[in-house]
Amino acid sequence: MKIAVLTGAGISAESGIPTFRGPSGIWKTFKPEELATPQAFERDPKLVWEWYDWRRSIIKKAKPNKGHILIAHLEQLFEDFLLITQNVDGLHQKAGSKKVVELHGNIWRVLCTACGKKYYNYQVPLEEIPPRCKYCNGLLRPDVVWFGESLPKKEWETALEFVSSCSMLLVVGTSGVVYPAASLPFLAKQKGAKIVEINPEDTPISQIAHIRIRKKASEGMEEFLKML
Ligand code: APR
């Protein structure tokens, strides 16, 4: 069986990382247009980096939870497997997932706006804000996808291709409102895949799910594995 998994911020909620929407979501406190857009970065790179430095400090302390670990276990059960995540926290890889596509980048990777070089920087807190490129001293940005930016081409094409031919798509912890990632379940369904959703809440994906597990990721993953 060819199985794909699509995850969102909800899978990291039990690791103590705030989600974006919902009662205690990040976007309740901060305005995305002020922090997660190219215009915001252009206007005030220091403010944007202070916010990412804060998020990096939370993520650095976070550990993968049972949901991440069971998804890494699921990968061992199926030769034909791909994990597609919208998360930038790197917790799936820490939990042992190998076949991972990061649609929205990675908060630990930096990209130089001057020389274009990309590399990992795990400093918490950052020594200098905004941080400068270790190669050319140019202004660095987080290597994440901001609103209004396109997804990384290779990652998106890999996700599209796999989802178009999988027999099952497991969707865990995403509100299903941010495109183009949110279009993947609809594409999978259209191509005949079985859709399973793990989320304590209803989402636009719920209406096309064959199976809805109304649980948190860790319990929901346990229930899902028992069904296999
Ligand atoms: N287990 C499973 N799901 C959970 C849990 C949990 N413990 N807690 C919350 N959820 C669900 C919520 O019900 C919600 O449907 O996780 C989802 C989180 O939704 P969002 O906060 O919108 O996160 P996400 O869907 O990943 O957002 C997509 O939006 O802000 C941008 O780039 C950012 O990648 C992000 C994208």
Side-chain angles (χ1 to χ4, degrees):
M1 174 158 76
K2 183 167 179 173
I3 181 165
V5 181
L6 172 68
T7 61
I11 185 97
S12 295
E14 290 160 271
S15 296
I17 298 175
T19 59
F20 292 98
R21 296 166 188 85
S24 51
I26 283 186
W27 298 142
K28 281 267 172 311
T29 321
F30 301 97
K31 291 198 179 70
E33 61 278 3
E34 284 175 6
L35 295 163
T37 63
Q39 295 74 15
F41 186 73
E42 181 81 26
R43 194 172 46 242
D44 190 344
K46 185 170 176 300
L47 174 72
V48 172
W49 266 115
E50 280 166 353
W51 186 62
Y52 276 92
D53 195 36
W54 170 72
R55 288 181 63 199
R56 286 159 54 114
S57 69
I58 293 172
I59 291 168
K60 178 134 190 177
K61 292 194 284 277
K63 300 244 175 315
N65 63 64
K66 195 158 58 174
H68 295 107
I69 291 161
L70 291 179
I71 287 177
H73 176 63
L74 186 67
E75 178 176 333
Q76 301 307 314
L77 303 178
F78 294 94
E79 178 55 30
D80 226 350
F81 177 94
L82 184 66
L83 167 58
I84 302 158
T85 188
Q86 300 171 85
N87 300 341
V88 297
D89 58 33
L91 288 186
H92 282 302
Q93 294 90 326
K94 265 197 178 160
S97 288
K98 299 272 178 292
K99 297 175 180 172
V100 188
V101 165
E102 294 177 317
L103 292 184
H104 294 166
N106 185 302
I107 202 165
W108 296 113
R109 211 173 36 243
V110 291
L111 164 64
C112 179
T113 59
C115 72
K117 282 203 174 65
K118 282 186 186 186
Y119 56 91
Y120 283 88
N121 167 318
Y122 294 98
Q123 275 172 13
V124 170
L126 285 163
E127 278 158 13
E128 185 191 4
I129 291 189
R132 315 294 305 183
C133 177
K134 68 181 179 184
Y135 299 102
C136 77
N137 204 41
L139 176 63
L140 290 173
R141 61 162 280 177
D143 189 22
V144 299
V145 177
W146 282 327
F147 291 103
E149 293 187 317
S150 45
L151 271 53
K153 196 168 176 320
K154 190 167 78 48
E155 285 77 359
W156 178 240
E157 283 171 3
T158 304
L160 265 187
E161 191 197 334
F162 197 93
V163 161
S164 304
S165 57
C166 68
S167 36
M168 179 183 284
L169 172 65
L170 171 63
V171 184
V172 190
T174 182
S175 57
V177 296
V178 174
Y179 282 77
S183 66
L184 292 172
F186 296 88
L187 170 66
K189 169 104 184 208
Q190 190 198 337
K191 298 279 185 176
K194 202 174 184 66
I195 310 296
V196 181
E197 182 185 43
I198 299 177
N199 194 319
E201 312 277 333
D202 240 20
T203 73
I205 296 161
S206 308
Q207 61 186 332
I208 61 160
H210 297 89
I211 298 169
R212 287 189 289 279
I213 302 175
R214 283 276 164 275
K215 291 222 168 79
K216 293 185 170 185
S218 44
E219 297 147 52
M221 277 305 301
E222 266 181 345
E223 188 171 319
F224 174 74
L225 286 168
K226 282 189 196 124
M227 282 163 34
L228 286 179

